[in-house]
Amino acid sequence: MNPKLYYELAEWWPLISLPADYAEGASRYAQLLTTACHPMLVLELGSGGGNNASHLKKWFDMTLVDLSPHMLEVSRALNPECSHQQGDMRTVRLGTLFDAVFLGDALSYMTSAGDLALAIETAFAHCRPGGAVLFAPDHFRETYCPGVRAGGGDEAGRSVRYLEWNYDPDPTDRTVETDFAFLLRSGSGPTEVIHDHHTTGLFERGVWMDLCKKAGFEPEIHIVQCAQPDGAELETILCRRPG
């Protein structure tokens, strides 16, 4: 079942996840890619509502791909100058090579090593020789911490508040669970309460590195220093495609 957040609740995304909160991280990602290959054309796979792209487009000509047509509509409103394509990061083939490819937290929805390998292969297939790919998952197995956070916002007569609960019921497998409770209100109408459940993948660094090498990349881990709500650092994998 598709997560409600990215489909029937997509219109609420701008109040749930603010583009401004992505500015510092996007700047660090841009620095890594620029150092690696000085890209001009960049593909983002799993671009969601376009929050990262709203900052990356200052440096790069962005093409955005996401599975959800609803999230693509949100992104088009935020990033009208960017090209948007609907597609699954595991299987999409645009027939174009890019200087660099970026994949962010949408990678978390790869819940098996097989799916993760397919996403990595898609990135390789769209990266020109001598180009670079940056993978920025939410967590690695070694860095995952369960927790709770809350947020929300108000805009033009509507409001949303949410509670997010991340937990790992079975530490022996490679998935974790997230439950969301959304409270939605439009105008003076009643508050609606919606539950949404997400299952996401969690893989060891070694699995990531092995899959990247198998795809043909030369991978290396980089720490991204930027402000996070939980105070944690972000680990990314920067891959170069031999040219």
Side-chain angles (χ1 to χ4, degrees):
M1 182 180 296
N2 293 321
K4 297 174 185 176
L5 178 58
Y6 308 129
Y7 288 85
E8 56 259 50
L9 297 181
E11 65 178 296
W12 296 90
W13 180 256
L15 301 183
I16 294 168
S17 185
L18 302 178
D21 293 340
Y22 291 68
E24 188 175 3
S27 176
R28 301 296 187 268
Y29 301 148
Q31 290 173 12
L32 283 172
L33 289 174
T34 299
T35 300
C37 66
H38 297 284
M40 293 295 294
L41 303 178
V42 175
L43 170 66
E44 182 177 357
L45 296 170
S47 55
N51 286 348
N52 274 309
S54 70
H55 304 285
L56 293 173
K57 68 186 180 184
K58 292 185 294 185
W59 299 286
F60 313 126
D61 182 353
M62 300 292 298
T63 295
L64 310 180
V65 173
D66 197 78
L67 181 61
S68 166
H70 307 282
M71 293 298 279
L72 287 172
E73 284 304 306
V74 173
S75 181
R76 286 189 182 100
L78 181 62
N79 304 301
E81 64 272 60
C82 297
S83 173
H84 290 77
Q85 302 284 338
Q86 184 181 1
D88 187 323
M89 68 168 63
R90 295 167 295 187
T91 58
V92 68
R93 294 294 185 271
L94 301 180
T96 303
L97 292 179
F98 296 82
D99 300 320
V101 183
F102 172 70
L103 297 89
D105 55 10
L107 283 163
S108 299
Y109 292 93
M110 303 298 101
T111 56
S112 70
D115 280 347
L116 183 58
L118 289 174
I120 293 171
E121 289 165 9
T122 296
F124 186 89
H126 289 89
C127 180
R128 65 164 174 82
V133 174
L134 184 63
F135 298 104
D138 276 338
H139 310 280
F140 295 94
R141 165 61 72 185
E142 294 89 344
T143 61
Y144 174 76
C145 291
V148 175
R149 67 175 182 172
D154 308 282
E155 175 188 77
R158 62 178 190 157
S159 302
V160 59
R161 299 293 182 270
Y162 70 87
L163 177 71
E164 176 184 347
W165 178 19
N166 301 288
Y167 57 98
D168 186 1
D170 183 0
T172 66
D173 68 10
R174 285 177 168 166
T175 59
V176 293
E177 311 298 327
T178 303
D179 282 298
F180 287 92
F182 293 104
L183 289 85
L184 313 173
R185 188 172 69 245
S186 296
S188 59
T191 298
E192 182 180 8
V193 181
I194 296 178
H195 170 252
D196 193 19
H197 182 80
H198 299 225
T199 298
T200 52
L202 189 66
F203 301 94
E204 298 84 356
R205 294 186 189 97
V207 171
W208 277 92
M209 299 297 276
D210 288 345
L211 291 177
C212 288
K213 292 174 182 176
K214 185 176 180 180
F217 285 121
E218 297 172 349
E220 55 193 44
I221 290 178
H222 288 261
I223 302 296
V224 174
Q225 300 280 356
C226 63
Q228 295 296 303
D230 58 4
E233 295 179 321
L234 290 179
E235 286 190 33
T236 62
I237 297 180
L238 179 66
C239 292
R240 292 175 172 84
R241 177 170 174 173

